[in-house]
Amino acid sequence: MMELLRENELIWSPVVANNRMNRKRTASGVNSYEKELNFNPGIYIDKRLEEQGYAKWLDLCCGEGNALLQYANEVAGAKLYAR
């Protein structure tokens, strides 16, 4: 699993993103976090659910929220949501 940067490291990192990266990216597929960054948010969230029994996803200023919507549809399709 990909190691995430701590906040201070992220703030000072040289990484920049363009519109396609931020606004159109999905969790998995052609233009995805999984393909471009070797990180699938869905797998990460699933692991947290398995370990902790709950998970949260905060999506701030991320454009269209496609990765979150893609994962939400997968969860709804698999009926994994809380009742």
Side-chain angles (χ1 to χ4, degrees):
M1 178 169 286
M2 181 177 159
E3 192 73 26
L4 299 178
L5 295 176
R6 284 179 264 140
E7 183 177 359
N8 194 43
E9 293 171 321
L10 185 59
I11 289 169
W12 293 103
S13 77
V15 176
V16 294
N18 62 29
N19 180 288
R20 180 173 173 254
M21 288 176 68
N22 286 333
R23 309 227 179 269
K24 305 293 182 190
R25 188 168 310 282
T26 56
S28 61
V30 176
N31 179 31
S32 67
Y33 291 105
E34 183 177 33
K35 181 177 185 227
E36 298 296 329
L37 304 174
N38 196 30
F39 174 72
N40 184 320
I43 292 171
Y44 181 83
I45 294 293
D46 289 345
K47 186 171 182 181
R48 293 287 120 0
L49 286 168
E50 184 180 311
E51 292 173 352
Q52 301 171 179
Y54 68 93
K56 296 179 182 182
W57 183 327
L58 179 61
D59 191 345
L60 297 174
C61 303
C62 295
E64 298 171 7
N66 289 327
L68 176 58
L69 293 171
Q70 180 185 29
Y71 183 71
N73 285 330
E74 290 172 10
V75 168
K79 298 186 177 167
L80 298 173
Y81 48 88
R83 295 171 201 239

